[in-house]
Amino acid sequence: FWPSNFMRQRESGTLVLRVGLTEIDFLFFEQAQGAPQVLSWGSENISYFTVRQTLEKIFTQFPKAKAIRKLVTTFPESQFNAQVIQHMLPPMLPRHLMTSAEASTIERDALAQASRILQKSLFRESGILPNEFSLRRVKILDRRIDGYSVANLEGFQRGEIVFSVLGMFLLEPPFLPVEQFAKSHKVYDIRVMHIAEAIESFAAAHNQEGVYLCVEEEKTQIIVRKEGRIAFLDTIPMGENAFIEFFGDVLGMRESAAETFQERYFHDNLSAPVRARVEAYVLPEVKKFATLIKEKLLGAKMTLPVPVRIFGKARALRNLQSMFNDGVLQDLPFLQKPEPHFLLPDEI
């Protein structure tokens, strides 16, 4: 244990976790001269250890002079689900200017109704019973009166009101070992953040709209940020595991060897002939991935902002340009030619 007077003198940082199905991704950073400075980042496998044991292993990699002041964690889509719905309220006659009290009541009632709709939708689509998950947060992303976006309802005439509402649901068991780890290290500032919220925060801070693809083990989440808000949110049933299985089947590798090989491929640590052969092998899977993305984005029925940012477990997608040059994604309604880009920890 650290002496209490030394603990007060230690500089503190923020620990960000993504507790996945087979790995925990971590990023530990501090604020230095107004900008974040990454102190440690990486991934640890949880196939042979519990989540709590793996978190303790990660903790040993941090600088001893740094304390964890804040912990932010997220989970894969199968454990932490988010949906965006549109909730419409018809005009009320006679038309009148909405007061502050009326605006607050309308939004409170709209959030309550949206929460019920979201819970029914989650049960219908996933089969998860209401007592197995908790509604972590529900928030209004956008307000429109007669089709016009407004920051607040107060002071506007009561017309047709449409709310865009984001709801987030978490299965409780995956969160418990994270909470226990935090308490054991005297970290009391804990926040569970959905990847859509993280993108919203990142994009707002850097003024960066675009299409974001979060590649997980089994799925990939698609988030479109446009006109200052999350405009579209969906998921495809294909993630890193599909590529690991593909490498294993085609190249005859065991899972651990396939993961290592993917890592070398991503960091361009293969010879030119081997890399060319790998890209030829993996191209059909990349096209399949791109086709699933295309189907979802066409369903968004909107023009798409650029660039396309890919992050998470996307080691097999190193040659991203092929997704846009072979015609699979060329006819999507991007505002201009999309430039794919990997979002790395040092770009936060």
Side-chain angles (χ1 to χ4, degrees):
F1 294 94
W2 296 98
S4 58
N5 60 338
F6 181 70
M7 283 290 291
R8 286 194 294 269
Q9 296 172 4
R10 293 169 69 197
E11 297 180 3
S12 59
T14 299
L15 174 60
V16 182
L17 299 172
R18 178 192 170 274
V19 182
L21 302 177
T22 58
E23 287 182 327
I24 297 178
D25 303 319
F26 65 92
L27 174 71
F28 187 44
F29 70 93
E30 66 177 353
Q31 291 291 331
Q33 297 180 347
Q37 178 181 348
V38 176
L39 301 172
S40 180
W41 65 282
S43 297
E44 287 290 343
N45 193 287
I46 55 175
S47 299
Y48 306 105
F49 301 95
T50 65
V51 170
R52 175 68 186 277
Q53 289 172 330
T54 307
L55 290 172
E56 295 295 346
K57 182 180 179 182
I58 290 171
F59 180 74
T60 63
Q61 301 178 37
F62 301 156
K64 296 299 183 183
K66 305 292 181 181
I68 303 173
R69 174 183 57 84
K70 181 178 181 180
L71 190 153
V72 182
T73 185
T74 191
F75 301 87
E77 192 271 347
S78 58
Q79 298 173 343
F80 197 7
N81 185 276
Q83 296 182 23
V84 177
I85 65 167
Q86 305 297 316
H87 184 62
M88 190 272 289
L89 301 175
M92 180 179 290
L93 298 177
R95 294 174 68 93
H96 59 280
L97 295 181
M98 288 177 281
T99 65
S100 175
E102 182 181 10
S104 297
T105 299
I106 291 172
E107 293 199 356
R108 184 176 62 250
D109 292 346
L111 287 172
Q113 293 180 41
S115 297
R116 291 191 289 270
I117 294 171
L118 285 162
Q119 292 186 55
K120 290 179 181 178
S121 175
L122 180 63
F123 172 68
R124 183 174 62 252
E125 294 181 8
S126 67
I128 301 175
L129 298 174
N131 63 352
E132 295 178 344
F133 61 84
S134 63
L135 179 62
R136 300 295 298 194
R137 266 183 307 284
V138 58
K139 60 189 292 186
I140 295 173
L141 297 176
D142 186 44
R143 306 162 180 81
R144 292 181 182 269
I145 301 176
D146 295 333
Y148 294 95
S149 181
V150 296
N152 297 287
L153 299 182
E154 181 184 356
F156 288 93
Q157 284 199 341
R158 176 70 186 266
E160 180 186 79
I161 302 173
V162 178
F163 293 105
S164 178
V165 180
L166 172 67
M168 291 151 282
F169 305 87
L170 175 67
L171 288 173
E172 288 300 318
F175 174 65
L176 295 179
V178 178
E179 185 178 41
Q180 292 167 356
F181 164 81
K183 288 182 178 179
S184 70
H185 291 279
K186 295 181 171 54
V187 182
Y188 302 109
D189 188 355
I190 309 171
R191 181 175 180 187
V192 179
M193 177 181 283
H194 192 272
I195 198 66
E197 291 182 286
I199 289 173
E200 181 75 5
S201 177
F202 169 82
H206 296 80
N207 192 28
Q208 294 186 352
E209 297 189 338
V211 177
Y212 292 81
L213 305 179
C214 177
V215 183
E216 301 176 349
E217 290 95 336
E218 296 179 348
K219 301 179 180 180
T220 296
Q221 298 194 60
I222 308 168
I223 302 101
V224 178
R225 190 178 191 274
K226 180 181 177 183
E227 297 176 353
R229 66 183 180 90
I230 298 295
F232 179 74
L233 177 64
D234 212 328
T235 305
I236 64 168
M238 186 175 182
E240 184 191 42
N241 287 353
F243 292 97
I244 292 177
E245 293 171 3
F246 178 79
F247 274 95
D249 293 341
V250 173
L251 302 179
M253 294 179 174
R254 294 182 178 180
E255 182 175 323
S256 58
E259 291 179 357
T260 302
F261 191 80
Q262 278 196 80
E263 193 72 28
R264 292 181 60 196
Y265 171 62
F266 177 76
H267 291 289
D268 201 15
N269 290 332
L270 300 175
S271 66
V274 172
R275 184 176 66 248
R277 288 181 59 189
V278 170
E279 290 180 350
Y281 282 135
V282 81
L283 183 59
E285 292 299 296
V286 173
K287 285 186 175 181
K288 179 182 177 182
F289 179 85
T291 299
L292 293 172
I293 295 292
K294 176 182 177 179
E295 291 172 353
K296 292 295 186 180
L297 289 177
L298 285 175
K301 301 185 185 303
M302 65 176 68
T303 55
L304 299 170
V306 293
V308 177
R309 293 183 175 86
I310 301 183
F311 62 102
K313 301 189 170 299
R315 289 172 288 197
L317 297 173
R318 178 182 175 275
N319 189 15
L320 293 177
Q321 201 60 48
S322 63
M323 292 172 56
F324 298 89
N325 292 340
D326 61 12
V328 177
L329 298 180
Q330 282 185 343
D331 55 349
L332 282 172
F334 282 98
L335 294 171
Q336 53 186 289
K337 184 179 178 180
E339 292 293 334
H341 173 68
F342 275 107
L343 190 60
L344 300 176
D346 59 2
E347 297 178 73
I348 292 177

